[in-house]
Amino acid sequence: MQRAGVGRATLFRHFPTRTDLLRAAGLSALAELRARLGAPELARGPIRERLEHLFKILVEAGSRTHFLLVAAELFEDPELTRATEEVDARVTPVLDAAIREGLIRDDVPSEFFGDILEAMVYGAWSSVARQRITTADAQTWLLETFLHGFGSAGRTEARRPAARARRRSS
């Protein structure tokens, strides 16, 4: 608060609870991320360059959005859920284009790619925050890991798992 030049009383007048403060910070961060994901570089050009740009944006957003994946009190917030869905709606077309253009596998649902990408980005954010790696390295290694794991050249002849989850016996 000192660094921002805001007193405690002023802060709590605007945000009566910690949840209110986190929610406002999350909505602001997601709006900024959504705007950056509207960049024309994500809509046209070679697909690998589009993925590089996407991963750059996602990794750079970590310092402002990282907390949203661990702040349990925000998980059910309808406005944050909507804002997150809007971010996902800007990421999905890039992944879909990578599938269509043969850069990543077409035998895996794109929703799975999105879920795995989210986990990988979170890991990259954590490593950058702990100063284990630089932001530039995170961007490069995230792209390489994603393409190595899901690249169309990495396809195996392994049997595809069933589409539904298996029940565990009690």
Side-chain angles (χ1 to χ4, degrees), residues 16 21 35 55 57 69 100 115 123 144 150:
L21 177 61
F55 287 18
I57 291 170
L69 295 175
R100 268 192 323 276
D115 293 342
E144 289 175 3
F150 293 114

Side-chain angles (χ1 to χ4, degrees), residues 8-22 24:
R8 188 177 188 84
T10 302
L11 181 68
F12 285 111
R13 188 170 38 250
H14 292 286
F15 307 104
T17 68
R18 176 182 184 272
T19 301
D20 293 331
L21 177 61
L22 289 175

Side-chain angles (χ1 to χ4, degrees), residues 17-160:
T17 68
R18 176 182 184 272
T19 301
D20 293 331
L21 177 61
L22 289 175
R23 183 177 181 278
L27 288 170
S28 174
L30 289 171
E32 180 183 313
L33 177 56
R34 191 173 55 247
R36 291 200 61 209
L37 290 170
E41 297 86 356
L42 292 179
R44 60 183 174 273
I47 190 58
R48 185 178 174 98
E49 289 176 15
R50 291 166 62 192
L51 278 174
E52 287 173 5
H53 193 70
L54 172 66
F55 287 18
K56 179 181 189 306
I57 291 170
L58 293 175
V59 169
E60 288 174 350
S63 64
R64 297 226 28 232
T65 57
H66 189 255
F67 73 94
L68 288 171
L69 295 175
V70 295
E73 65 267 36
L74 300 177
F75 290 171
E76 302 300 320
D77 184 280
E79 199 171 351
L80 281 167
T81 299
R82 240 183 336 276
T84 300
E85 289 168 353
E86 291 170 5
V87 166
D88 291 346
R90 296 203 175 182
V91 171
T92 301
V94 180
L95 297 177
D96 288 344
I99 293 168
R100 268 192 323 276
E101 295 184 29
L103 186 62
I104 58 177
R105 300 168 60 142
D106 64 358
D107 63 333
V108 176
S110 63
E111 297 83 5
F112 179 72
F113 288 138
D115 293 342
I116 295 301
L117 178 57
E118 182 178 298
M120 290 172 65
V121 168
Y122 179 81
W125 289 343
S126 295
S127 290
V128 169
R130 292 180 181 127
Q131 298 180 336
R132 293 177 179 163
I133 61 174
T134 66
T135 301
D137 285 341
Q139 294 163 11
T140 299
W141 295 337
L142 185 62
L143 177 67
E144 289 175 3
T145 302
F146 187 79
L147 291 178
H148 181 73
F150 293 114
S152 57
R155 191 179 320 229
T156 67
E157 295 303 315
R159 204 173 72 165
R160 188 171 182 189

